[in-house]
Amino acid sequence: MATSTPIATIITYAKISQFLAADDIAKTFLFKGGPPPLQKLSRLIYIVRKQVDLVYTNDPSDSTLDSTANYLYWLCGRYINQAKVILGQGGTGVIVNPTSGALSSLTGVFVQFRIGDVGSLMNAGDTVLTLTYDDPISATVSVDLDGVELPQNDSLQISYTVVYNSSSVVITFNQAVATSQQYQVRFLRFIPIT
Amino acid sequence: MAFSAHFSVSQGSDSTSFTLTDDSTGSDVNLTTRTISLFLADGSLLGGAAISWPISDGSTKTLTGILPRDYAINISVVWTSSSPIPGSTYAYAALFGFTGNTNAFIYGLIQQIAAQQSILNDTTFYEYLSKLQTESDNCTQAVSYGDQAAAQAALDRAYFIIQNSANYF
């Protein structure tokens, strides 16, 4: 039996759920004037989580670990979604990198250079520009030449194509760049939140 | 560079054993041997005598089957040098609380609950499950404060429950 959620994640959910359950229990006592049906829940989540964590640390391949972790996940039950929101893994206003699944923010990249200047990213005669940045977002690259936006993949004039990789964008022009041309490149990329 | 004695302890899934790792800093080429002493809360030595740890054994020493039950042990290791280097330390001691047996028993109870959740309605099952976890945590807390007596007392209370488990579970 495997767990649908990684055991380490279940343990993290449990650490949050035990407090959410304790909060629930306290509110039930306060507003309903008596103990809730699951008075033991917070403490039980704590005990099970501690032991699952110990076994997972000492012997992740223990044959009983999956079933016990699944039981822990069940105990956390209705608190899992709240735990995900607290962890930033669910709810509104959250950006997730679809490739890595990592919680992320967005940032813009702006690169400007003139062919022939010191530090120019391309030399006269080049046709390929490779920009090394992690997690570029597809379909966000735009290139301006001397202040005019260039089209993509247009055989009737100077244009370019883009290949998006996990750690770079590769821009290929259909004509060689020339001295004194000024290029401005813009695109968006994911920044993981740690 | 002066020799500074130090070791660390780890316990894996075998609750009757633990491993010492010699992570001393500096060097002394004249080291001849090491000696491990396991002092219980009552001042006696676990096993009745010190344990030899030759330099030739390497940096780790696993004491297999040394723990018949959980103990809070003041572990002392002495390094012997035929020509001690001035400014060096050749002994190190620290308190460790071994809760493997207690935690293994608690884990067994949890597996019972996972298989049959209605067992929680049993009059004393949950109460004594919670007490066992509390005593395991009490030992850990006492060790963090360097209180061997309190740590051992917590383990003794847990051991009593485990030895009389038929009455509680």
Side-chain angles (χ1 to χ4, degrees):
Chain A
M1 177 196 302
T3 57
S4 57
T5 303
I7 293 176
T9 305
I10 293 175
I11 291 170
T12 302
Y13 290 158
K15 288 179 180 177
I16 298 172
S17 296
Q18 69 190 54
F19 289 102
L20 294 175
D23 200 38
D24 236 5
I25 293 166
K27 285 178 183 173
T28 303
F29 267 107
L30 182 63
F31 295 114
K32 296 187 179 178
L38 297 172
Q39 190 177 354
K40 305 166 183 162
L41 184 58
S42 174
R43 177 71 176 160
L44 190 56
I45 292 175
Y46 170 78
I47 295 172
V48 177
R49 188 266 298 170
K50 283 279 282 189
Q51 296 306 321
V52 168
D53 203 352
L54 267 173
V55 175
Y56 182 66
T57 301
N58 288 332
D59 186 10
S61 61
D62 184 289
S63 61
T64 64
L65 195 54
D66 282 348
S67 60
T68 317
N70 279 331
Y71 172 62
L72 177 59
Y73 189 88
W74 177 84
L75 274 179
C76 295
R78 57 180 147 165
Y79 302 113
I80 296 278
N81 284 337
Q82 281 181 265
K84 285 181 179 178
V85 171
I86 291 169
L87 288 167
Q89 294 177 7
T92 58
V94 173
I95 299 172
V96 175
N97 183 333
T99 302
S100 65
L103 188 65
S104 301
S105 179
L106 302 179
T107 190
V109 177
F110 174 73
V111 173
Q112 177 175 298
F113 57 91
R114 187 179 296 277
I115 307 300
D117 282 358
V118 173
S120 171
L121 297 181
M122 298 180 77
N123 298 315
D126 288 347
T127 58
V128 177
L129 169 63
T130 299
L131 298 173
T132 304
Y133 291 88
D134 286 339
D135 301 319
I137 301 175
S138 292
T140 62
V141 167
S142 70
V143 179
D144 289 0
L145 167 58
D146 292 333
V148 177
E149 185 173 357
L150 293 181
Q152 292 191 29
N153 205 23
D154 186 347
S155 60
L156 299 179
Q157 67 167 89
I158 182 170
S159 69
Y160 63 97
T161 56
V162 186
V163 173
Y164 296 85
N165 301 308
S166 60
S167 58
S168 66
V169 290
V170 180
I171 301 170
T172 304
F173 296 94
N174 63 354
Q175 299 178 20
V177 300
T179 303
S180 298
Q181 286 178 328
Q182 183 194 61
Y183 286 87
Q184 295 171 321
V185 181
R186 297 175 177 81
F187 61 94
L188 296 175
R189 55 186 282 252
F190 290 108
I191 296 285
I193 295 175
T194 57
Chain B
M1 181 179 174
F3 181 79
S4 180
H6 192 275
F7 67 87
S8 56
V9 170
S10 62
Q11 186 176 42
S13 55
D14 179 4
S15 57
T16 67
S17 310
F18 62 89
T19 299
L20 289 92
T21 301
D22 184 344
D23 44 23
S24 305
T25 58
S27 64
D28 181 343
V29 298
N30 297 308
L31 287 174
T32 55
T33 191
R34 294 164 290 207
T35 306
I36 304 167
S37 299
L38 306 175
F39 292 103
L40 299 178
D42 62 4
S44 64
L45 278 174
L46 181 64
I51 301 167
S52 174
W53 185 6
I55 300 297
S56 58
D57 277 2
S59 62
T60 60
K61 174 85 170 175
T62 298
L63 303 179
T64 305
I66 192 90
L67 297 170
R69 49 160 290 193
D70 287 342
Y71 283 113
I73 302 176
N74 194 335
I75 302 178
S76 169
V77 178
V78 175
W79 285 252
T80 305
S81 173
S82 60
S83 180
I85 299 172
S88 298
T89 56
Y90 289 93
Y92 182 77
L95 177 62
F96 295 92
F98 295 99
T99 56
N101 284 299
T102 303
N103 286 323
F105 189 84
I106 295 172
Y107 188 73
L109 295 176
I110 291 170
Q111 288 182 272
Q112 290 185 42
I113 300 171
Q116 184 190 352
Q117 287 154 40
S118 62
I119 204 171
L120 282 172
N121 297 325
D122 188 321
T123 308
T124 56
F125 190 99
Y126 173 74
E127 178 188 354
Y128 281 89
L129 165 69
S130 186
K131 282 184 179 182
L132 279 174
Q133 182 64 54
T134 298
E135 299 300 359
S136 175
D137 292 343
N138 284 343
C139 172
T140 302
Q141 281 284 77
V143 166
S144 72
Y145 284 98
D147 190 336
Q148 185 178 16
Q152 188 59 52
L155 292 175
D156 288 345
R157 289 190 294 268
Y159 186 66
F160 179 84
I161 294 173
I162 293 171
Q163 289 298 103
N164 297 279
S165 59
N167 298 331
Y168 305 118
F169 303 108

